[in-house]
Every structure is written in structure tokens, then in C-alpha cells.
Amino acid sequence: MTERAERRFFAREGVDPLTAAFTRKSAVHAGIGGKPVENALIPKTWEKIMNQPRTASSTAYFHIPFCRNHCLYCGFYKYSADRATSRDYTDALIRELHMDRDKPAVFGYPLHAVYLGGGTPTVLAPKDLERLLKAICNILPLANDSEITIETTAADLNEDILSACIAGGANRFSVGVQSFDTAVRKNLGRRSDREKVMECLQSARDKNAAAIIIDLIYGLPGQNMTIWENDMKTFLDLEIDGADLYQLNVFNNTPLAASVETGRLPKPAELAEQAHMFKRGVELMDARHCRRLSMTHWATGGRERNMYNQLMKSGAPCLPYGAGAGGTLGGYLCMVNGHLNTYLKELAAGRKPVSGMLAAPPQKPLINAIAGGLETGYLNMEKIRQTHGIDIESICAPLLEQWWRTGLIHRDGGRVKLTLAGQFWQVNLAQALIDHLLENLESQ
Ligand code: SF4
């Protein structure tokens, strides 16, 4: 094995595994790409996959590309929306829902989770959100226990929005809080202060009609360990249903990177400090007996299931709706056109505006099993051997042995469980295991 390959796959030795197992942290979910479908072949390919029945637990994703905020770390392309835009976009989504409703890929097999994401879906007018949700519930074959999530901000979580979404059938709100600290929030460009965020979350919780989940980020500019602990304790005392704990990633050429570079914002925590914040977050969740549903997600009680995220991370089929939505169907990754006017025009002309497709490689189910397993901190290699006929344990033996020796994994027969350090580096480990496995399969 070359030195470069060693660096890609193997952990550093003789260092603290939590803070220094690798020199760089992978930011995105582990996986592999695919082969682009030629533009001219996209309509025919879409037709083909719409005629293949779904046969596994699945999701539907609705992209609402509007937002009122300008968060510095946000890389999403978004539009502003007035009343007319809200109405026209909702009409277009409902038209899109009707378009393929009788096709085998849509009809005939239950959908287990629906997610309205963006942007900020609650930028749509309450009456538009309600009729969109009602159309989703009427048109799509939802399972009786289907999770229906609306992504929103605390400031948008007002009585009108809550009532409209609940009347429409939503049973879960995912609220981007990031930090409760007013100064840290201001640094990010968030509009509401701690008091306002608390007030909105408390009134949504007291309605007791849907699960309330929040996102928290560690390593934000101006957020030290004390502020992070306060963020965690505030969440735990609020007694809402769950939280995601995410690490801040500062991507090059973003407004956040520029603000840090010019000194307008304090430097965010370095990787080692972020690792300690992660560790503290896990400890505080454990201390309150929260249920861990993935490496980044916890539930405080029985209402929260995190169905959409779990299904997505294990590569479940996903029907995409809305400008810029991405989905996975029939062995293809599909992208709906993200240009708002083009999307609206194509739909008005009666065409599903699919603008990009990638044919997933044949190893995709195996990759999904590895990435989905490690996302929960546990990999049953024996089960993968039985299902996919691939013996990860013997093909990746040197890698697994080194990760065990350096404190990243526990081993138990044909199973691997991530240590706390391994949990922090989970995406690195999943990607390294997938790459190492594929390279060694090719050379066999
Ligand atoms: S609220 Fe969400 S979508 Fe809008 S700018 Fe902030 S992070 Fe981006």
C-alpha cells in the first residue's frame, strides 16, 4: 500500500484518537457517485423508472427554495417569496404531485416519511402550506404512521403556521436553532434572540400536536465550551422531542469564511475543540437518558423516530418534488430543475422538469448498507456477507485491525461498534471503509 493510500484509510498512531485520528474531517455523507445520463435520454429514463414499482420503505422530498434569512454559513440557493409566488409555487407542486400519481413508482407501495425542506418551507403562506399538505396526504400512498416533517426556523413557528401545518397533516417540525445564545445567533445572521426562540419552541411544544426537533451546531464563531454547554442544557430543559448535533463546517468562498478571514467574526473552534464539544454533547444527552437514533440525532421520548433521515442515509427510494429537489429511484439519483422560472414553465407545459440523472453503480446497495450502518454507530458485517456476498471482515482486515488498535472501533465477532472517537470521525471511517473495500474488490 502506498503512503498516500495509508494516509487516506488508516488513522494516525500515537495521538488522541478523538481529536487527531485524521488530519481532516469529512463533511458530507459517505458514498460514491454515479454515471451521468445524457440530457437527451433523461425524459425516457424518468418514464422507465416511473413504471418500476417501489418495493422498499421510501420517502418523498419537497423542496421549497425560499427563505427570508441570510445565514452566513448557508450554501443553499434561495429566492424570496411574496404572496403570488407562494400561491404559484404551491399550485406547481400540486400539479407535479398529480402528474405521476398513478405510476407504479408512486402508487401501490406505502411511503414512510415525507419531508418539506429548503430554504424555509414556512415562508409559504399558511393557507398554501395547508393545501399542499392536504394534497400530499390525499395523493401519495402514505403509511398510517408516516412521518410528515416541516423544516422551519423558530421565528416562523407561529400560531398561524403551526395550526395550518397540523390541519394539513404535519406531525413533526424540524427547527433550525443552531444556538440559543443571542450574540452567537447574531454572528450568524439569525434574526431572533434567545427569548424569542424559547417562546416559539415552548408554545409549539405546549400545543402537543407534533414532534418538535431542533438542530444545534457546535464550533460556531463566538461559541466557546460554556456557551455550548448552555445550548445543550437549554435544549434538555425545554423538554421538546429531539435534537441533531452538527459540527460547523466552514466551506471556502462562503460569506462565513470571508467574515472570519477579514476578522469581522471571531475564528470558529478548531477541530480538536470541536471534538471536545461533541464529546460533551454526547455526555449531556447520556446523562438525561436521551435515546440515540444516529451518530448526530437524539430523541428525548417516544414520539420522535427520525424516519426521514434514517431512510435517506441508508439509500431508501425517495420521490423528488419541487425546484432543486433531489431523489433516488430505480437505481438512479434524480434532480428536479433548480431554476425557479424553468421549473414553473416546464410544469405549466405538463412536463416533469427532471434536469439531471446519475445511474447508481452496481455496488450501491452494499455501499448503502455500510454507510447506513455506520450512521447508527454499528456495522453487522456478518449480515452484509449473507445479504451481499461480500466479506468486509476479511477484505478490510488490516484496516479494521488498525482502527481497533487506535481506539476508533470495538470489535465483536462479525460486528463493529464505533467508540466515542469513532463516532466523531464516523463519516471519515465510512468513506475510508467504502473506498478501501471497492479498491480491493477491483484488484481481486
Ligand atoms: S434559514 Fe436555513 S435556508 Fe435560510 S439562510 Fe438560514 S440556513 Fe439557509
Side-chain angles (χ1 to χ4, degrees):
M1 177 146 321
T2 65
E3 201 191 317
R4 195 165 157 264
E6 289 255 355
R7 274 205 308 273
R8 269 177 64 207
F9 300 132
F10 290 86
R12 292 161 76 205
E13 305 219 7
V15 295
D16 170 19
L18 174 67
T19 56
F22 298 93
T23 45
R24 227 167 40 87
K25 185 121 187 278
S26 300
V28 287
H29 306 303
I32 44 174
K35 194 164 163 260
V37 174
E38 276 177 47
N39 282 348
L41 297 178
I42 287 177
K44 225 174 142 192
T45 313
W46 176 257
E47 188 61 30
K48 181 183 88 179
I49 61 173
M50 278 289 106
N51 283 308
Q52 290 170 9
R54 279 180 301 111
T55 52
S57 296
S58 314
T59 68
Y61 175 76
F62 290 77
H63 193 68
I64 318 290
F66 309 111
C67 191
R68 281 185 271 267
N69 283 358
H70 299 283
C71 302
L72 283 182
Y73 56 89
C74 180
F76 292 109
Y77 184 60
K78 31 195 192 294
Y79 301 87
S80 56
D82 55 20
R83 245 164 219 287
T85 315
S86 169
R87 182 199 59 215
D88 293 349
Y89 192 71
T90 305
D91 288 346
L93 282 173
I94 294 175
R95 203 170 305 132
E96 194 182 354
L97 268 167
H98 278 287
M99 199 169 266
D100 291 319
R101 63 180 297 175
D102 297 323
K103 296 282 169 63
V106 178
F107 191 75
Y109 197 83
L111 279 165
H112 299 85
V114 172
Y115 196 92
L116 272 65
T120 307
T122 44
V123 164
L124 295 182
K127 66 173 183 347
D128 289 328
L129 272 170
E130 184 173 339
R131 66 193 179 95
L132 172 60
L133 284 160
K134 284 186 169 159
I136 291 170
C137 293
N138 286 334
I139 295 169
L140 294 181
L142 302 188
N144 281 351
D145 64 346
S146 190
E147 177 189 271
I148 305 176
T149 305
I150 314 289
E151 193 173 273
T152 184
T153 62
D156 270 2
L157 207 56
N158 57 45
E159 182 53 35
D160 288 352
I161 294 276
L162 271 169
S163 299
C165 292
I166 290 164
N171 52 28
R172 185 173 182 263
F173 292 87
S174 175
V175 190
V177 169
Q178 327 310 3
S179 172
F180 289 98
D181 188 272
T182 301
V184 171
R185 294 179 58 78
K186 225 180 200 168
N187 280 345
L188 297 174
R190 308 293 289 205
R191 290 169 299 143
S192 5
D193 59 16
R194 176 187 170 85
E195 288 67 35
K196 175 76 184 163
V197 174
M198 299 277 289
E199 186 192 310
C200 295
L201 291 172
Q202 279 159 346
S203 65
R205 174 201 65 194
D206 292 345
K207 224 172 158 59
N208 202 8
I212 310 293
I213 310 303
I214 63 169
D215 287 353
L216 290 176
I217 299 183
Y218 53 92
L220 294 164
Q223 182 197 42
N224 56 25
M225 182 62 100
T226 309
I227 294 176
W228 173 238
E229 284 181 344
N230 275 338
D231 281 335
M232 285 294 307
K233 286 177 184 159
T234 305
F235 156 67
L236 291 163
D237 290 344
L238 263 172
E239 297 187 341
I240 52 175
D241 299 280
D244 275 294
L245 306 188
Y246 291 125
Q247 176 192 358
L248 178 73
N249 291 299
V250 184
F251 296 106
N252 290 339
N253 304 320
T254 58
L256 180 58
S259 299
V260 171
E261 226 159 83
T262 56
R264 199 183 76 69
L265 283 182
K267 258 184 121 195
E270 300 280 349
L271 196 53
E273 197 183 345
Q274 287 187 332
H276 285 296
M277 288 173 149
F278 168 77
K279 178 171 179 263
R280 190 69 188 125
V282 174
E283 286 167 356
L284 290 167
M285 291 289 196
D286 279 352
R288 297 278 189 107
H289 291 277
C290 295
R291 213 162 24 100
R292 195 164 189 182
L293 299 179
S294 79
M295 291 301 89
T296 55
H297 192 88
W298 283 260
T300 58
R303 191 177 234 166
E304 168 59 353
R305 295 174 296 156
N306 199 32
M307 292 279 288
Y308 175 78
N309 286 327
Q310 306 252 95
L311 286 169
M312 287 311 288
K313 285 174 183 167
S314 59
C318 172
L319 299 166
Y321 298 92
T328 318
L329 271 179
Y332 290 86
L333 307 175
C334 319
M335 182 63 79
V336 180
N337 198 313
H339 188 272
L340 187 57
N341 283 337
T342 313
Y343 167 82
L344 293 171
K345 266 190 207 152
E346 286 285 294
L347 271 172
R351 287 186 291 269
K352 173 93 177 184
V354 182
S355 61
M357 288 181 106
L358 291 175
Q363 308 92 336
K364 190 74 178 152
L366 170 67
I367 305 311
N368 289 343
I370 296 174
L374 287 176
E375 179 65 30
T376 65
Y378 173 77
L379 192 62
N380 188 338
M381 295 181 291
E382 180 50 29
K383 192 167 167 213
I384 289 180
R385 192 183 63 73
Q386 286 166 12
T387 314
H388 300 274
I390 301 290
D391 189 351
I392 301 176
E393 207 180 3
S394 82
I395 298 171
C396 298
L399 193 61
L400 294 168
E401 145 58 36
Q402 201 256 359
W403 287 353
W404 170 74
R405 207 162 23 82
T406 48
L408 293 169
I409 58 173
H410 301 292
R411 300 183 74 178
D412 168 20
R415 300 180 195 89
V416 158
K417 201 170 158 216
L418 300 183
T419 62
L420 183 75
Q423 293 163 20
F424 181 67
W425 297 101
Q426 174 253 320
V427 182
N428 290 61
L429 297 185
Q431 192 64 61
L433 191 62
I434 289 165
D435 291 346
H436 189 267
L437 181 66
L438 293 182
E439 283 182 22
N440 283 282
L441 276 177
E442 271 162 26
S443 63
Q444 273 185 0

